[in-house]
Amino acid sequence: MLGFLERPVVVTADINLNVVALTAVGLLSRLWQLAYPRAVVFDEVYYGQYISFYMKRIFFLDGSGPPFGHMLLALGGYLGGFDGNFLWNRIGAENALITQARLMLLESVLIFFNLLAVLSYLKFANSQKQRPFSLRWWFWLTLTGMACSCAVGVKYVGVFTYLLVLAVAGVHAWHLIGDRTLSHVRVLCHLLARAAALLVVPALMYLLFFYVHLTLVCRSGPHDQIMSSAFQASLEGGLARITQGQPLEVAYGSQVTLKNVFGKPVPCWLHSHQSTYPMIYENGRGSSHQQQVTCYPFKDVNNWWIVKDPGRHPLVVSNPPRPVRHGDIVQLVHGMTTRFLNTHDVAAPLSPHSQEVSCYVDYNISMPSQNLWRLDIVNRESDTEVWKTILSEVRLVHVNTSAVLKLSGAHLPDWGFRQLEVVGEKLSRGYHESMVWNVEEHRYGKSQEQKERELELHSPAQMDVSRNLSFMARFLELQWRMLTVKSDDSEHKYSSSPLDWVTLDTSIAYWLHPRTSAQIHLLGNIVIWASAGLATAVYALLFFWYLLRRRRCIRDLPEGCWLRWVLAGALCAGGWAVNYLPFFLMEKTLFLYHYLPALTFQILLLPVVLQHVADHLCRSPLLRSVFGSLVVAWYSCACHVFNTLRPLTYGDRSLSPGELRALRWKDTWDILIRKY
Amino acid sequence: VTLLSFATRFHRLDEPPHICWDETHFGKMGSYYINRTFFFDVHPPLGKMLIGLAGYLSGYDGTFLFQKPGDKYEHHNYMGMRGFCAFLGSLLVPFAYLTVLELSRSLPAALLSAALLTFDTGCLTLSQYILLDPILMFFIMAAMLSMVKYNSCADRPFSAPWWFWLSLTGINLAGALGVKFVGLFIILQVGWNTISDLWHLFGDLSLSVVTVGKHLTARVLCLIVLPLTLYTATYAVHFMVLNKSGPGDGFFSSAFQARLSGNNLHNASIPEHLAYGSVITVKNLRMAIGYLHSHRHLYPEGIGARQQQVTTYLHKDYNNLWIIKKHNTNADPLDPSFPVEFVRHGDIIRLEHKETSRNLHSHYHEAPLTRKHYQVTGYGINGTGDSNDFWRIEVVNRKFGNRIKVLRSRIRLIHLVTGCVLGSSGKVLPKWGWEQLEVTCTPYLKETLNSIWNVEDHINPKLPNISLDVLHPTFPEILLESHMVMIRGNNGLKPKDNEFTSKPWHWPINYQGLRFSGINDTDFRVYLLGNPVVWWLNLLSIVLYVLLGSIIAIAVQRGAHLPAEVEGLSQVLLQGGGQLLLGWMLHYFPFFLMGRILYFHHYFPAMLFSSMLTGILWDTVLQLCAWSLASPFLARGMYAAGLLSLLLGTAYSFYLFHPLAYGMVGPLAQDPRSPMAGLRWLESWDF
């Protein structure tokens, strides 16, 4: 492909014919029987689900990547993923890529943008030599930036290609700085243009994706729970329906529910109920036998607490309401049982290094109540800030022991109904979100009598003030949650390790016909797979050989040819390396399809190396013709393998068990054979 | 400089007279060396060996238990070990001084670096206790110094000093790697330096290829062969010294344990091939999983079927014993009238738990923790169960019909009905499972060590015993195994979700320290925290360096002509400073990628490099400023004033913060009555 770009203008028509022909073959092989199978295949389960969320405009969260890829699919444009593949389709017989491209998954979209980025950068570098700052120059430069941001927007692994392009651009820019024929101003213009196109444009596009994403999905959905209360309140339906119209400022007498900000292992609310801690635990330690305080992951009337002024008796909001401020001392009264939130020097049930938190019951055993808490607003702007619903993140610091109310994350045994343990952390070592709480539901208490109050607690809260979160705040939070959300690293039947990928020691069964043994597998064309690996090795060897010889001033290649050779290697071998090596550091479940972006770069290297060997290493015509015939033999071999594996790629033909067994060239391929 | 450094490090070394922080580990491991009992730790052995040696030479007898921080040493002699660490810690300062002097050829820069390190409370604290860090930092700095020295001998290749510094670099690299794996970073730095050096020589056409080859061989010898030999030698000593069975046994494979005297596999003789009726223990091949185990407790309500628990357990216990029986008869195979029948690869067997007479059993219920696997239980009464108790025994990579060897055969147990494989997920069961590890039957047939087992103990009176000496592992094998165990151990140190952990970005800003000793206001408290003046100056310097460095680099690339003096200064800044910056980056950034639990003290090697960089940077900046001034008198004055103010500033800040390192008693700093209250500049400092 690089060869194409470097050729003089005269042959353009010819190349275009080439491209058109390749496009046709590429499209044909990918669109062949596209509508088949009419069943959900593998991860299509997830992506299809996400798309329907878009259609219904429901909020969701996916840890694997930013929303652009999903949106693109949802646009009904899954053709967008296919027509991209023509660019590199010199070898039109790559089974794995075809399988992947045919189905509705994100990888093909990612590969498309990766290659588009590299291609447009090459175009840009070419026009740099001819006419900088021309229209063409600008077009390719911006296209590079846009393709990069699209790649990142589809999946986070796109970042690696982006970094590669940036690195190459950086090296070129450094040469530009060293070019003393250019004036200072001109160099500055060059640098600024690059910075704008390769840094600013992608960042803006990335923000744009999220903007569209957040405007599209404005209804609450199944992943609400992961987000903060404030974020949830900004979605239609769900929490917003409840919180809409709540009073903003928490006052003495307010009835509130307190949600833990950390929300791990599950999001939950501060809770208490009639049951007490068992007198003696299983391991023989004793407890205070007072009323349990836990964290409960479901909405419940027992999650309501009343903020009380220690100096005054009433449990209602006075008129005008007296707001609670940072640093104030408060008591928290459990709504249904009217007991006070309390902690004391008794070891907590599961975390013996922390204090037990209870609702105080007076047994007359000279254990005084210690129920004063100091309010510490973590995200305050001034020291007299008022405690606000949803927005304020607060710590409750115990006045007597300076312990901090904390969610320990442990599940209580049966006596605690498997709810989560809440403790008083004595050695508060710095800030941790498990010690931070925020008010989620809130209303001003009106009834002084316990019976009336219980009724009041059961009724839904409704009042009116509305608030909205700014886009940037929502973006930052969503971004943070996406990067930190942990997928449970469950073992999967088809998961594999990066080492298996190079040697194609693994396959993924995507689909099996419900009755016959027609099936679709993600399986590479082993000839191409192997030769691509070989090409990389040959490239590396030759590169180091030339490099060492150049260092001793022995120039095998003319200068221009050497530079092209280096650039091709940097982009193709580099593209392979940056898309492959980082997977060794990742701890999530990995599949064969994660390797495909790297593979495409590796395949691009193949023609480069072949061309190079033919041009520079085969000196005599005889050698050259031998080499040429070898290439033809190799190519037909690849086509043959493609043809043999075709039933597994398209899944259009049912094979007998014997045939399937014959196709199982490696023991590690999980080809499904029905037992009759 | 050296004197001052020794004075600060040895001042009040004996306080507090109790165990501080990780002394409880490393002191204990030192004692293990003196007592020659085998133990397991995630770090390589050299550091602990040196501690043990220092203790041994100073008359410590290894009897102190080192149970938990805060225990009093009483009559035990701990000063030898602390003194040894403090000695190495004190040498850091002269090393930094010499390195900077060599790199910059400027006395003030070297003095400034030395002062920064001398007056840093963090370095001081870390050097005063029985820890690995002073030893590690000693080797890192020594390697750096000898590398720099050898670079400056480059004009006289193959001379005596050249060889001396080159091999010294190699020795120190081995030392650094032998103390902690963090030593790898300094190896990378030296490697990078060597490669660029060789590249330079290779491009020098006045040297013949043979000469370049000689250079290459010399470096391979001194920087690869020599350190590797020394490194393996430390392990050889380690295994030779520790020849008694101890707390580390369970982490290692059966063959490994056979080396240790006192272990029941040592010089043991047991029957070689498994036969029906044999009583065996089955050990998982993955490190630190343990033996297949069952006990008289049922799975709790709601977790699969309410049958007897099957787990894995790391310690030796009667409940680890199982009897191999035929699947279809319940006759006692030990009856002398039956002939001995060996178990063969591919046989269908039943495993009966010896203590409870229940069969190893699996069924289509989900496992307690790994939901996609099946539950494994103990089922049946007196050996009579159902068809779900049948397992096919397979030797990995063997043909059918082969016998099964004790210890050496790697076996898999495949459940006959469901086709799943017996394995351990390595996850810890909750309280009801006594915090032993979960055993499951996995339907995924992929071959992982989790589902491969070997037979360890084997009792069968009808079979002749053979001596196990045959399977004595070779030295490379035990070397490899101990590395695997260490790496697994390191990866296993994961932070828990709801715990506050130190993050790498906290470190350079000195966000939070570590409590070495004491919590309450009556305790003698020591708090590991860098001197904030020094640390923040370092941070500022790195930013300033990157700015200044790029400006100069761009100017040079644009072909600007610098005056001779500036030229010289910028050379020092770019090359000397560049090496130090590389050192800082290499010792800092990799921590961002690490999944294991991290602590504040991991930053200290990087901090050494950044202090040296600060020295060079400020010297250069001051010289540049002085050069730009017109009058020479004014220039000299301002240079001296700038330097003095920096030196005095750090010394004064040390005076302010010295109680952190030397210990303080009295109210906590949160309390306004405390003398340290004014010094609590960040809310996250809790001293």
Side-chain angles (χ1 to χ4, degrees), chain A residues 19-59:
Chain A
V19 171
V20 170
L22 285 173
T23 312
V25 175
L27 278 179
L28 190 68
S29 67
R30 267 128 185 97
L31 296 180
W32 175 258
Q33 293 195 341
L34 184 62
Y36 181 85
R38 293 186 177 279
V40 179
V41 171
F42 199 58
D43 273 0
E44 279 194 348
V45 184
Y46 300 115
Y47 296 121
Q49 200 183 359
Y50 291 144
I51 290 163
S52 58
F53 282 142
Y54 271 114
M55 298 309 173
K56 296 180 202 147
R57 311 192 73 180
I58 288 175
F59 176 75

Short mmCIF file of all heavy atoms in Angstrom, two decimals, chain A residues 19-59:
data_model
loop_
_atom_site.label_atom_id
_atom_site.label_comp_id
_atom_site.label_asym_id
_atom_site.label_seq_id
_atom_site.Cartn_x
_atom_site.Cartn_y
_atom_site.Cartn_z
N VAL A 19 -7.72 -0.32 -6.71
CA VAL A 19 -8.49 -0.08 -5.49
C VAL A 19 -9.94 -0.48 -5.69
O VAL A 19 -10.53 -1.14 -4.84
CB VAL A 19 -8.38 1.41 -5.09
CG1 VAL A 19 -9.34 1.72 -3.97
CG2 VAL A 19 -6.97 1.74 -4.69
N VAL A 20 -10.47 -0.12 -6.86
CA VAL A 20 -11.87 -0.45 -7.10
C VAL A 20 -12.07 -1.96 -7.09
O VAL A 20 -12.98 -2.48 -6.44
CB VAL A 20 -12.34 0.15 -8.44
CG1 VAL A 20 -13.71 -0.40 -8.82
CG2 VAL A 20 -12.38 1.65 -8.33
N ALA A 21 -11.14 -2.66 -7.76
CA ALA A 21 -11.28 -4.11 -7.81
C ALA A 21 -11.19 -4.71 -6.41
O ALA A 21 -12.01 -5.55 -6.02
CB ALA A 21 -10.19 -4.69 -8.71
N LEU A 22 -10.22 -4.23 -5.65
CA LEU A 22 -10.05 -4.77 -4.30
C LEU A 22 -11.27 -4.47 -3.45
O LEU A 22 -11.72 -5.29 -2.67
CB LEU A 22 -8.80 -4.17 -3.66
CG LEU A 22 -7.50 -4.75 -4.19
CD1 LEU A 22 -6.33 -3.98 -3.63
CD2 LEU A 22 -7.39 -6.21 -3.80
N THR A 23 -11.79 -3.25 -3.62
CA THR A 23 -12.96 -2.89 -2.85
C THR A 23 -14.09 -3.86 -3.17
O THR A 23 -14.79 -4.34 -2.27
CB THR A 23 -13.42 -1.47 -3.21
OG1 THR A 23 -12.29 -0.64 -3.19
CG2 THR A 23 -14.45 -0.99 -2.24
N ALA A 24 -14.23 -4.13 -4.43
CA ALA A 24 -15.31 -5.03 -4.83
C ALA A 24 -15.13 -6.40 -4.17
O ALA A 24 -16.07 -6.93 -3.57
CB ALA A 24 -15.33 -5.16 -6.34
N VAL A 25 -13.90 -6.92 -4.25
CA VAL A 25 -13.66 -8.24 -3.65
C VAL A 25 -13.92 -8.18 -2.15
O VAL A 25 -14.57 -9.05 -1.57
CB VAL A 25 -12.22 -8.70 -3.93
CG1 VAL A 25 -11.96 -10.01 -3.21
CG2 VAL A 25 -12.00 -8.86 -5.41
N GLY A 26 -13.41 -7.12 -1.54
CA GLY A 26 -13.56 -6.96 -0.09
C GLY A 26 -15.03 -6.92 0.28
O GLY A 26 -15.49 -7.66 1.17
N LEU A 27 -15.77 -6.09 -0.41
CA LEU A 27 -17.18 -5.95 -0.08
C LEU A 27 -17.90 -7.27 -0.31
O LEU A 27 -18.71 -7.69 0.52
CB LEU A 27 -17.81 -4.87 -0.96
CG LEU A 27 -17.61 -3.45 -0.47
CD1 LEU A 27 -18.25 -2.47 -1.43
CD2 LEU A 27 -18.21 -3.29 0.92
N LEU A 28 -17.57 -7.91 -1.42
CA LEU A 28 -18.24 -9.16 -1.74
C LEU A 28 -18.01 -10.18 -0.63
O LEU A 28 -18.94 -10.79 -0.13
CB LEU A 28 -17.70 -9.69 -3.06
CG LEU A 28 -18.51 -10.86 -3.61
CD1 LEU A 28 -19.88 -10.37 -4.03
CD2 LEU A 28 -17.78 -11.50 -4.77
N SER A 29 -16.73 -10.31 -0.23
CA SER A 29 -16.46 -11.35 0.76
C SER A 29 -17.09 -11.01 2.10
O SER A 29 -17.40 -11.88 2.88
CB SER A 29 -14.95 -11.55 0.92
OG SER A 29 -14.38 -10.41 1.48
N ARG A 30 -17.28 -9.73 2.37
CA ARG A 30 -17.83 -9.39 3.66
C ARG A 30 -19.36 -9.36 3.67
O ARG A 30 -19.99 -9.60 4.67
CB ARG A 30 -17.29 -8.04 4.13
CG ARG A 30 -16.07 -8.23 4.98
CD ARG A 30 -14.91 -7.42 4.52
NE ARG A 30 -13.72 -7.73 5.29
CZ ARG A 30 -12.78 -8.58 4.86
NH1 ARG A 30 -12.95 -9.24 3.74
NH2 ARG A 30 -11.70 -8.77 5.58
N LEU A 31 -19.93 -8.99 2.54
CA LEU A 31 -21.37 -8.85 2.52
C LEU A 31 -22.07 -10.14 2.11
O LEU A 31 -23.27 -10.26 2.19
CB LEU A 31 -21.78 -7.73 1.56
CG LEU A 31 -21.30 -6.36 1.98
CD1 LEU A 31 -21.74 -5.32 0.98
CD2 LEU A 31 -21.83 -6.00 3.35
N TRP A 32 -21.28 -11.08 1.68
CA TRP A 32 -21.80 -12.37 1.25
C TRP A 32 -22.67 -12.97 2.34
O TRP A 32 -22.22 -13.25 3.43
CB TRP A 32 -20.61 -13.26 0.93
CG TRP A 32 -20.96 -14.67 0.57
CD1 TRP A 32 -20.86 -15.76 1.37
CD2 TRP A 32 -21.43 -15.13 -0.69
NE1 TRP A 32 -21.24 -16.86 0.70
CE2 TRP A 32 -21.60 -16.52 -0.57
CE3 TRP A 32 -21.73 -14.50 -1.90
CZ2 TRP A 32 -22.07 -17.30 -1.62
CZ3 TRP A 32 -22.19 -15.27 -2.94
CH2 TRP A 32 -22.36 -16.67 -2.80
N GLN A 33 -23.94 -13.12 2.01
CA GLN A 33 -24.89 -13.72 2.95
C GLN A 33 -24.86 -13.04 4.31
O GLN A 33 -24.82 -13.68 5.34
CB GLN A 33 -24.60 -15.19 3.13
CG GLN A 33 -24.87 -15.97 1.87
CD GLN A 33 -24.92 -17.45 2.14
OE1 GLN A 33 -24.42 -17.90 3.16
NE2 GLN A 33 -25.54 -18.18 1.26
N LEU A 34 -24.87 -11.72 4.27
CA LEU A 34 -24.73 -10.97 5.51
C LEU A 34 -25.91 -11.23 6.44
O LEU A 34 -25.76 -11.27 7.65
CB LEU A 34 -24.64 -9.48 5.18
CG LEU A 34 -24.40 -8.59 6.36
CD1 LEU A 34 -23.07 -8.92 7.00
CD2 LEU A 34 -24.41 -7.15 5.92
N ALA A 35 -27.07 -11.38 5.84
CA ALA A 35 -28.27 -11.51 6.68
C ALA A 35 -28.30 -12.84 7.41
O ALA A 35 -29.17 -13.09 8.23
CB ALA A 35 -29.51 -11.37 5.81
N TYR A 36 -27.35 -13.69 7.10
CA TYR A 36 -27.35 -15.02 7.69
C TYR A 36 -26.29 -15.09 8.75
O TYR A 36 -25.21 -14.58 8.55
CB TYR A 36 -27.06 -16.01 6.57
CG TYR A 36 -27.05 -17.45 6.99
CD1 TYR A 36 -28.23 -18.17 7.04
CD2 TYR A 36 -25.85 -18.06 7.33
CE1 TYR A 36 -28.21 -19.49 7.42
CE2 TYR A 36 -25.85 -19.38 7.72
CZ TYR A 36 -27.03 -20.09 7.75
OH TYR A 36 -27.02 -21.40 8.14
N PRO A 37 -26.38 -15.61 9.88
CA PRO A 37 -27.57 -16.24 10.43
C PRO A 37 -28.53 -15.22 11.05
O PRO A 37 -28.09 -14.18 11.51
CB PRO A 37 -26.98 -17.14 11.52
CG PRO A 37 -25.78 -16.40 11.97
CD PRO A 37 -25.24 -15.70 10.78
N ARG A 38 -29.75 -15.57 11.07
CA ARG A 38 -30.73 -14.68 11.67
C ARG A 38 -30.87 -14.96 13.17
O ARG A 38 -31.94 -15.19 13.67
CB ARG A 38 -32.09 -14.88 11.01
CG ARG A 38 -32.12 -14.44 9.57
CD ARG A 38 -33.49 -14.52 8.99
NE ARG A 38 -33.49 -14.04 7.63
CZ ARG A 38 -33.55 -12.76 7.31
NH1 ARG A 38 -33.63 -11.85 8.28
NH2 ARG A 38 -33.52 -12.37 6.05
N ALA A 39 -29.76 -14.98 13.83
CA ALA A 39 -29.81 -15.24 15.26
C ALA A 39 -28.75 -14.37 15.93
O ALA A 39 -27.88 -13.84 15.27
CB ALA A 39 -29.52 -16.71 15.53
N VAL A 40 -28.88 -14.23 17.21
CA VAL A 40 -27.94 -13.38 17.92
C VAL A 40 -26.63 -14.13 18.12
O VAL A 40 -26.61 -15.28 18.52
CB VAL A 40 -28.51 -12.96 19.27
CG1 VAL A 40 -27.52 -12.10 20.01
CG2 VAL A 40 -29.81 -12.23 19.07
N VAL A 41 -25.55 -13.49 17.79
CA VAL A 41 -24.26 -14.15 17.81
C VAL A 41 -23.36 -13.52 18.86
O VAL A 41 -23.12 -12.32 18.84
CB VAL A 41 -23.60 -14.04 16.42
CG1 VAL A 41 -22.20 -14.53 16.47
CG2 VAL A 41 -24.41 -14.84 15.43
N PHE A 42 -22.88 -14.31 19.79
CA PHE A 42 -21.84 -13.93 20.74
C PHE A 42 -22.09 -12.57 21.38
O PHE A 42 -23.16 -12.32 21.90
CB PHE A 42 -20.49 -13.96 20.02
CG PHE A 42 -19.31 -14.03 20.94
CD1 PHE A 42 -19.19 -15.07 21.83
CD2 PHE A 42 -18.35 -13.05 20.93
CE1 PHE A 42 -18.11 -15.14 22.68
CE2 PHE A 42 -17.27 -13.12 21.78
CZ PHE A 42 -17.15 -14.17 22.65
N ASP A 43 -21.13 -11.66 21.30
CA ASP A 43 -21.26 -10.38 21.98
C ASP A 43 -22.33 -9.48 21.37
O ASP A 43 -22.61 -8.44 21.91
CB ASP A 43 -19.92 -9.63 21.97
CG ASP A 43 -19.07 -10.04 23.15
OD1 ASP A 43 -19.54 -10.89 23.93
OD2 ASP A 43 -17.96 -9.51 23.30
N GLU A 44 -22.85 -9.88 20.23
CA GLU A 44 -23.97 -9.11 19.69
C GLU A 44 -25.03 -8.95 20.75
O GLU A 44 -25.78 -7.98 20.75
CB GLU A 44 -24.55 -9.80 18.46
CG GLU A 44 -23.78 -9.55 17.21
CD GLU A 44 -24.53 -9.94 15.94
OE1 GLU A 44 -25.57 -10.62 16.04
OE2 GLU A 44 -24.10 -9.56 14.88
N VAL A 45 -25.11 -9.92 21.64
CA VAL A 45 -26.04 -9.83 22.76
C VAL A 45 -25.92 -8.47 23.43
O VAL A 45 -26.89 -7.75 23.61
CB VAL A 45 -25.72 -10.91 23.81
CG1 VAL A 45 -26.73 -10.87 24.91
CG2 VAL A 45 -25.65 -12.27 23.16
N TYR A 46 -24.65 -8.13 23.77
CA TYR A 46 -24.45 -6.88 24.52
C TYR A 46 -24.68 -5.66 23.65
O TYR A 46 -25.41 -4.76 23.99
CB TYR A 46 -23.02 -6.83 25.06
CG TYR A 46 -22.72 -7.95 25.98
CD1 TYR A 46 -21.76 -8.90 25.66
CD2 TYR A 46 -23.41 -8.06 27.19
CE1 TYR A 46 -21.50 -9.95 26.52
CE2 TYR A 46 -23.14 -9.10 28.05
CZ TYR A 46 -22.18 -10.04 27.71
OH TYR A 46 -21.91 -11.07 28.55
N TYR A 47 -23.99 -5.68 22.48
CA TYR A 47 -24.04 -4.47 21.69
C TYR A 47 -25.45 -4.20 21.18
O TYR A 47 -25.90 -3.06 21.15
CB TYR A 47 -23.02 -4.54 20.56
CG TYR A 47 -21.62 -4.59 21.10
CD1 TYR A 47 -20.77 -5.63 20.84
CD2 TYR A 47 -21.19 -3.58 21.96
CE1 TYR A 47 -19.50 -5.68 21.38
CE2 TYR A 47 -19.92 -3.62 22.51
CZ TYR A 47 -19.07 -4.68 22.21
OH TYR A 47 -17.83 -4.71 22.76
N GLY A 48 -26.13 -5.29 20.81
CA GLY A 48 -27.50 -5.12 20.38
C GLY A 48 -28.34 -4.49 21.47
O GLY A 48 -29.14 -3.58 21.24
N GLN A 49 -28.10 -4.95 22.69
CA GLN A 49 -28.83 -4.41 23.83
C GLN A 49 -28.57 -2.92 23.97
O GLN A 49 -29.49 -2.13 24.17
CB GLN A 49 -28.33 -5.15 25.06
CG GLN A 49 -29.21 -5.11 26.24
CD GLN A 49 -28.53 -5.84 27.39
OE1 GLN A 49 -27.43 -6.36 27.26
NE2 GLN A 49 -29.18 -5.85 28.52
N TYR A 50 -27.29 -2.55 23.85
CA TYR A 50 -26.95 -1.13 24.00
C TYR A 50 -27.66 -0.29 22.95
O TYR A 50 -28.10 0.82 23.21
CB TYR A 50 -25.44 -0.93 23.87
CG TYR A 50 -24.67 -1.50 25.03
CD1 TYR A 50 -23.44 -2.10 24.85
CD2 TYR A 50 -25.20 -1.44 26.32
CE1 TYR A 50 -22.74 -2.63 25.91
CE2 TYR A 50 -24.51 -1.97 27.38
CZ TYR A 50 -23.27 -2.57 27.17
OH TYR A 50 -22.59 -3.08 28.22
N ILE A 51 -27.73 -0.86 21.73
CA ILE A 51 -28.36 -0.09 20.66
C ILE A 51 -29.82 0.13 20.97
O ILE A 51 -30.35 1.23 20.82
CB ILE A 51 -28.20 -0.84 19.33
CG1 ILE A 51 -26.74 -0.79 18.94
CG2 ILE A 51 -29.05 -0.21 18.26
CD1 ILE A 51 -26.38 -1.79 17.92
N SER A 52 -30.47 -0.90 21.48
CA SER A 52 -31.88 -0.68 21.78
C SER A 52 -32.02 0.33 22.91
O SER A 52 -33.00 1.06 22.98
CB SER A 52 -32.56 -1.99 22.13
OG SER A 52 -31.92 -2.58 23.22
N PHE A 53 -31.01 0.43 23.77
CA PHE A 53 -31.04 1.49 24.78
C PHE A 53 -31.04 2.86 24.12
O PHE A 53 -31.74 3.76 24.55
CB PHE A 53 -29.83 1.39 25.71
CG PHE A 53 -29.97 0.31 26.74
CD1 PHE A 53 -28.87 -0.45 27.12
CD2 PHE A 53 -31.19 0.07 27.34
CE1 PHE A 53 -29.00 -1.44 28.07
CE2 PHE A 53 -31.32 -0.91 28.30
CZ PHE A 53 -30.22 -1.66 28.66
N TYR A 54 -30.23 2.98 23.08
CA TYR A 54 -30.21 4.27 22.39
C TYR A 54 -31.58 4.57 21.80
O TYR A 54 -32.07 5.68 21.87
CB TYR A 54 -29.18 4.25 21.26
CG TYR A 54 -27.83 4.69 21.70
CD1 TYR A 54 -26.76 3.81 21.72
CD2 TYR A 54 -27.62 6.00 22.11
CE1 TYR A 54 -25.52 4.21 22.14
CE2 TYR A 54 -26.38 6.41 22.53
CZ TYR A 54 -25.33 5.51 22.54
OH TYR A 54 -24.10 5.91 22.96
N MET A 55 -32.16 3.54 21.21
CA MET A 55 -33.46 3.75 20.59
C MET A 55 -34.46 4.22 21.63
O MET A 55 -35.28 5.08 21.40
CB MET A 55 -33.96 2.45 19.95
CG MET A 55 -33.06 1.94 18.84
SD MET A 55 -32.70 3.20 17.65
CE MET A 55 -31.50 2.40 16.63
N LYS A 56 -34.36 3.65 22.81
CA LYS A 56 -35.30 4.04 23.86
C LYS A 56 -34.77 5.19 24.68
O LYS A 56 -35.38 5.62 25.64
CB LYS A 56 -35.57 2.84 24.78
CG LYS A 56 -36.24 1.70 24.09
CD LYS A 56 -36.46 0.58 25.10
CE LYS A 56 -36.64 -0.75 24.38
NZ LYS A 56 -36.11 -1.86 25.16
N ARG A 57 -33.57 5.64 24.37
CA ARG A 57 -32.92 6.76 25.04
C ARG A 57 -32.75 6.50 26.53
O ARG A 57 -32.98 7.35 27.37
CB ARG A 57 -33.70 8.05 24.81
CG ARG A 57 -34.04 8.24 23.35
CD ARG A 57 -34.53 9.61 23.11
NE ARG A 57 -33.46 10.57 23.19
CZ ARG A 57 -33.62 11.87 23.01
NH1 ARG A 57 -34.81 12.36 22.78
NH2 ARG A 57 -32.61 12.68 23.07
N ILE A 58 -32.35 5.29 26.84
CA ILE A 58 -32.16 4.92 28.24
C ILE A 58 -30.69 4.98 28.58
O ILE A 58 -29.84 4.59 27.77
CB ILE A 58 -32.70 3.50 28.48
CG1 ILE A 58 -34.21 3.54 28.44
CG2 ILE A 58 -32.21 2.92 29.79
CD1 ILE A 58 -34.85 2.20 28.53
N PHE A 59 -30.39 5.43 29.77
CA PHE A 59 -28.99 5.55 30.16
C PHE A 59 -28.38 4.18 30.45
O PHE A 59 -29.00 3.34 31.07
CB PHE A 59 -28.88 6.41 31.41
CG PHE A 59 -27.48 6.48 31.92
CD1 PHE A 59 -26.54 7.25 31.27
CD2 PHE A 59 -27.09 5.74 33.03
CE1 PHE A 59 -25.25 7.29 31.72
CE2 PHE A 59 -25.79 5.78 33.47
CZ PHE A 59 -24.88 6.57 32.82
#
